[in-house]
Amino acid sequence: MDKKKFRETALGGLFNNPVFVLVLGMCPTISKSTNIVDAFALGTATAFVLVFSNLFVSALRKFIPDKVRLPAYIIIIATFVTLVQMFIESFLPDLNESIGAFISLIVVNCIILARAESFASKNSVGYAVLDGLSMGVGFIFSICLLGGIRQLLGMAGMKVFVTTPGGFIVLGLMMALFNYLLSIYKAHQAKKTAQILKGVA
Amino acid sequence: MYISTLITIVVAGILTNNIVLNQSIGICPFLGVSKKTESAVGMGIAVTFVITIASVVCYVLYHFVLAPLRLEYLQTITFILIIAALVQMLDIVIKKFSPSLYQSLGVYLALITTNCAVLGTANNVITNGYDLLQTFISALCVGLGFTLALILMSGIREKVEVSHVPKPFKGLPIALIIAGIMALAFAGFAGLSFT
């Protein structure tokens, strides 16, 4: 039972991928994935906030009254976002130039609030941190993949893919591909189960 | 000169620098609530309303409280709290004074707290160094631009719903590709200039 839950949580970043399946946090995904460096930096910042907000929401879940839980979560998230903002401003000024405006928008990134509300507020600290890590890695992976593809297409001379319209189109195509692969995988699993059932019968 | 700056802000907010299609901010509601034209209109009005009030309140608070006290680093945390409180307050006020408007806005009102467009605009007017009137006009036009994009998108999606779409593209992927093509069209406005 515990092993199953551990596995499910740890693989959540893949099967419930925040970008391709849950479709949360689209704004930074599209606007800051024009090159892989920005994409990785923003992904890491988001993952950091996600892990720590999950940790604190989960640790404080018995103390936060149900009625004011959303404002409380938002304050927790905003605190960590401010920390990240200060860190980047003082240690990484170059990065601040390129993604600075989007760091403060991490507060309203739906992934973080959604994980706090739907996972961290119901599970113990260990699982909440694991979920944060898994979802964070899933997010970094997808935003870097998108950033890498767009940067390559841009370097190949198709400048349109580095602009916003290109971002929409590349993400749409990738999401379709992900859906297609997932449907193949599910069909394969269903076939396997059917065979096992047949064997039993 | 002041008037021409204002005109530039208006054109930028609605067409040349559309918040959804050019800056790709506020995409979650843009994709989530654009399935029907009616709800798109409701969401657009609600967002315009909140963006305008929130930006003005954030502007006043930033320049008269945070800046004199040198607390600029609290910008993010203050703004998000203002927006959350404002949305909650609007919810109560609209429910009390105009039940019919409340009915039509419904769930969307509460969702606006986590709309990046609101926080993004509040941050932008501070970074751009606008004065109070410019802040008001800019926020209003960003809201109108958002409404325009949302209504256009919902019109197209209603048509796509009945047409034949390959299975992996059903739902969001095709919506994203449509958004991309719309954004290409909006990129054409970039040539407009009034200065």
Side-chain angles (χ1 to χ4, degrees), chain B residues 37-48 104-105 108 112 147 150:
Chain B
T37 313
E38 276 168 44
S39 45
V41 173
M43 184 69 176
I45 295 171
V47 167
T48 310
S104 60
L105 294 183
Y108 308 126
I112 295 173
T147 315
L150 201 61

Side-chain angles (χ1 to χ4, degrees), chain A residues 109-182:
Chain A
N109 192 323
C110 332
I111 298 173
I112 297 169
L113 198 64
R115 291 328 286 174
E117 167 78 9
S118 69
F119 195 91
S121 63
K122 289 178 195 126
N123 289 283
S124 59
V125 178
Y127 282 121
V129 172
L130 185 67
D131 178 71
L133 281 173
S134 162
M135 284 286 162
V137 170
F139 182 69
I140 295 177
F141 176 72
S142 6
I143 194 173
C144 284
L145 193 62
L146 195 61
I149 290 177
R150 285 175 72 183
Q151 196 177 9
L152 279 179
L153 285 170
M155 284 196 315
M158 286 175 273
K159 287 276 178 284
V160 68
F161 287 107
V162 187
T163 57
T164 311
F168 279 117
I169 293 172
V170 173
L171 184 62
L173 291 175
M174 278 171 66
M175 213 181 262
L177 183 69
F178 191 88
N179 280 350
Y180 180 63
L181 293 178
L182 205 66

Side-chain angles (χ1 to χ4, degrees), chain A residues 23 26-27 30-31 74-75 78-79 82 85-86 104-105 107-108 110 113 160 164-165 168-169 171-173 175-176 179-180, chain B residues 20-24 26-28 73 76-77 80-81 113-114 116 119-120 123 168-169 172-173 176-177 179-180 183-184:
Chain A
V23 200
M26 288 286 105
C27 318
I30 290 174
S31 46
I74 288 179
I75 293 177
T79 312
T82 310
Q85 228 173 351
M86 288 165 140
S104 82
L105 290 185
V107 182
V108 282
C110 332
L113 198 64
V160 68
T164 311
F168 279 117
I169 293 172
L171 184 62
L173 291 175
M175 213 181 262
N179 280 350
Y180 180 63
Chain B
V20 180
L21 296 171
N22 291 76
Q23 300 180 34
S24 63
I27 296 173
C28 306
Y73 62 90
T76 307
I77 213 164
I80 191 71
L81 281 181
T113 315
T114 51
C116 341
L119 186 65
N123 279 339
F169 280 94
L172 281 169
L176 276 166
I177 289 168
L184 273 178

Side-chain angles (χ1 to χ4, degrees), chain A residues 67-78:
Chain A
K67 271 190 182 161
V68 293
R69 65 182 198 287
L70 288 180
Y73 297 164
I74 288 179
I75 293 177
I76 293 174
I77 296 166

Side-chain angles (χ1 to χ4, degrees), chain B residues 54-68 126 132 135:
Chain B
S55 298
V56 170
V57 174
C58 287
Y59 174 88
V60 170
L61 211 83
Y62 183 83
H63 282 284
F64 294 99
V65 180
L66 292 185
I126 302 289
L132 192 57
T135 301

Side-chain angles (χ1 to χ4, degrees), chain B residues 153-185:
Chain B
M153 183 70 176
S154 66
I156 299 175
R157 275 184 88 177
E158 276 182 355
K159 293 231 152 128
V160 168
E161 201 81 342
V162 290
S163 57
H164 179 73
V165 178
K167 210 176 156 228
F169 280 94
K170 277 229 160 73
L172 281 169
I174 192 78
L176 276 166
I177 289 168
I178 293 169
I181 296 167
M182 272 171 73
L184 273 178

Side-chain angles (χ1 to χ4, degrees), chain A residues 31-104:
Chain A
S31 46
K32 280 300 153 209
S33 60
T34 49
N35 67 65
I36 201 157
V37 178
D38 286 0
F40 183 73
L42 195 69
T44 315
T46 311
F48 171 82
V49 177
L50 187 56
V51 170
F52 281 91
S53 71
N54 258 8
L55 170 70
F56 275 77
V57 166
S58 170
L60 295 172
R61 70 186 188 282
K62 296 210 171 92
F63 300 101
I64 297 174
D66 209 37
K67 271 190 182 161
V68 293
R69 65 182 198 287
L70 288 180
Y73 297 164
I74 288 179
I75 293 177
I76 293 174
I77 296 166
T79 312
F80 285 105
V81 171
T82 310
L83 280 180
V84 172
Q85 228 173 351
M86 288 165 140
F87 178 81
I88 289 182
E89 250 168 49
S90 48
F91 292 108
L92 304 161
D94 285 348
L95 208 58
N96 194 34
E97 276 300 278
S98 58
I99 63 167
F102 276 84
I103 295 290
S104 82

